[in-house]
Amino acid sequence: NYTELYDNVTAALPTADRPQLVIAFPEHALGWAADDFVTDLTDYLNDPQYGLTQAEVSDFPIVFWAQDMVGGKRIGVPAERSARFLLYDASWARELGFDAAPRTADEFRQQACRAHQAMLTDSDRSNDGQGGWLMDTDAMVALSWMNAFGGGVLEGNDYRFLTPKNIAAFTFVKGLFDDCCSWTAQPESANAAATPSATTSRLPDIFAARKALFATAGLEDLSSYSYAMAAADNADEWTVLSFPGDIQSGLVIYGSSYVVLKSTPEQQLAAWLFVRWLLSPENQQKWVEVTGLFPIRNSSLDLLGDYKKSHPQWVAALDLLPKAQIQPQLASWRTVRVMLGDGFSYLFRLDLDKQPAVISNQPPVVLQQMDSIAKELSK
């Protein structure tokens, strides 16, 4: 909606009256760049007086820095970066007989199903559907599983969902759900709508109550889980994991960027200087302490010693960055991403035919529909 508002309003404004700096997802900036609204920051970065040295550029993790470089042009620089992770109760896992976090999809399934079986054998019948992975159907979760199995959403510069590796990924997570080794939380009130807003606030409490061995959360959510563990007087050791597959790490980095819009040379330079100031290591230190997100520059870590000591899960997330991947660098990703989340949700609808033939064919059917819809959205 904000993107549409910008497109509708600024297109009618004289260039000098448009905003000079926005914070937006890179895929939004790509759409604006196609309309020649976005300033290529390459010359500003290379400027001997106002730019960044090569050492300063190398201070940005490559997985952050690469997202905004498209077609030889720099359409922005990273403003904030996050990812979705699996949360893992290591203490409970040890009680279930596991001494290490899962490294493969099969190990993940084994631990999630063992936790579910533990719920089935206790005296509380109300938790019989719980215990494994407290899942969500965010598009980044879907993409992370696809990447973990060696798949993804692109083939060259075009979308391609129906591939053997994506089928394997979706079949795996669908099988977890069908076998009750993963589950979704419902609103506390039976009269409340089953919307993300009605359930998201409950997820940290559910995890802290040992109703799920695994949960899914964004980096910005970790503080809520820490508070929930403390409120529940739960001293369990817990950490964050990448999505385990049989091929590679499934971690996908996403977030918004600083985008300088075309205006006058003076205004563009002022916007760039403001961005450069925001990206200083000292300001990045403050940014992390307030938001809990990744620091955009590595040198900021030298200033975050106390924060690292008190946030071990955040440190574990940092350790996963070297294997992380970026999102598709296409303007259409802003809508295709929504479609991916919707399609992933469709896999877990409870009112579908439960015949084995239908279940085994469902992931390919959904992925084929994604191919068709993505083709239309790309136009």
Side-chain angles (χ1 to χ4, degrees):
N1 289 339
Y2 286 124
T3 301
E4 292 175 3
L5 179 63
Y6 174 85
D7 290 344
N8 293 335
V9 173
T10 60
L13 290 175
T15 300
D17 293 335
R18 295 173 186 166
Q20 280 78 59
L21 177 66
V22 294
I23 299 177
F25 287 127
E27 55 268 26
H28 292 178
L30 277 169
W32 301 334
D35 293 326
D36 201 29
F37 287 161
V38 174
T39 302
D40 181 0
L41 295 178
T42 303
D43 289 341
Y44 293 92
L45 281 166
N46 296 333
D47 188 272
Q49 182 176 0
Y50 299 118
L52 298 177
T53 66
Q54 188 57 50
E56 289 173 317
V57 170
S58 299
D59 195 29
F60 294 80
I62 186 63
V63 72
F64 297 168
W65 194 246
Q67 184 73 62
D68 300 295
M69 190 69 183
V70 183
K73 295 182 179 181
R74 175 153 294 281
I75 61 172
V77 291
E80 57 182 6
R81 291 292 186 266
S82 184
R84 292 196 75 75
F85 300 90
L86 288 168
L87 308 188
Y88 176 62
D89 190 328
S91 296
W92 187 19
R94 284 192 289 269
E95 293 178 18
L96 293 171
F98 301 101
D99 294 330
R103 292 165 296 181
T104 67
D106 286 342
E107 290 178 358
F108 178 83
R109 178 182 175 85
Q110 185 181 9
Q111 295 200 23
C113 292
R114 181 80 59 84
H116 170 59
Q117 288 297 320
M119 293 299 197
L120 290 176
T121 56
D122 66 11
S123 59
D124 184 1
R125 297 188 63 182
S126 67
N127 65 8
D128 284 358
Q130 303 172 356
W133 169 34
L134 178 59
M135 60 174 288
D136 74 81
T137 56
D138 186 276
M140 290 298 97
V141 174
L143 182 57
S144 295
W145 279 119
M146 294 160 80
N147 285 348
F149 277 73
V153 300
L154 292 178
E155 188 175 75
N157 291 323
D158 297 319
Y159 293 105
R160 177 78 186 281
F161 290 90
L162 184 59
T163 67
K165 292 176 180 178
N166 289 342
I167 292 173
F170 274 28
T171 300
F172 171 76
V173 293
K174 181 69 165 61
L176 285 173
F177 185 76
D178 290 340
D179 293 339
C180 298
C181 298
S182 68
W183 60 287
T184 56
Q186 299 299 317
E188 285 187 289
S189 170
N191 297 323
T195 61
S197 60
T199 57
T200 299
S201 61
R202 297 183 56 223
L203 302 185
D205 295 332
I206 292 172
F207 183 74
R210 271 199 177 188
K211 295 181 180 180
L213 182 64
F214 300 94
T216 318
L219 188 62
E220 63 277 8
D221 302 320
L222 295 186
S223 60
S224 297
Y225 282 83
S226 295
Y227 293 143
M229 296 290 280
D233 198 23
N234 185 341
D236 282 1
E237 175 192 351
W238 62 285
T239 190
V240 302
L241 308 174
S242 178
F243 290 78
D246 298 327
I247 305 294
Q248 58 192 8
S249 167
L251 188 64
V252 181
I253 299 298
Y254 59 88
S256 57
S257 298
Y258 296 115
V259 181
V260 177
L261 304 179
K262 288 189 175 181
S263 55
T264 66
E266 294 81 7
Q267 290 171 320
Q268 290 176 191
L269 177 59
W272 163 248
L273 293 176
F274 181 54
V275 168
R276 196 183 67 172
W277 176 79
L278 288 170
L279 292 175
S280 69
E282 295 77 15
N283 283 329
Q284 285 301 302
Q285 172 200 357
K286 299 173 185 176
W287 175 258
V288 169
E289 291 170 347
V290 171
T291 65
L293 296 176
F294 286 121
I296 299 300
R297 297 180 65 166
N298 291 320
S299 57
S300 304
L301 295 174
D302 296 335
L303 307 174
L304 288 163
D306 292 339
Y307 188 87
K308 289 191 288 186
K309 291 177 182 177
S310 58
H311 295 79
Q313 294 80 25
W314 182 84
V315 174
L318 279 179
D319 291 340
L320 296 173
L321 275 180
K323 296 183 178 180
Q325 303 175 61
I326 65 174
Q327 296 186 92
Q329 294 175 293
L330 296 171
S332 56
W333 176 241
R334 67 184 186 183
T335 51
V336 172
R337 172 177 172 170
V338 176
M339 181 274 294
L340 174 59
D342 289 344
F344 193 56
S345 298
Y346 188 80
L347 282 177
F348 310 107
R349 287 181 56 177
L350 297 177
D351 59 346
L352 293 174
D353 191 336
K354 295 299 181 182
Q355 296 179 10
V358 176
I359 291 176
S360 64
N361 290 332
Q362 188 185 349
V365 171
V366 171
L367 289 165
Q368 186 176 38
Q369 291 174 335
M370 288 181 177
D371 274 338
S372 299
I373 297 171
K375 185 178 295 184
E376 291 299 316
L377 292 175
S378 297
K379 295 178 182 179

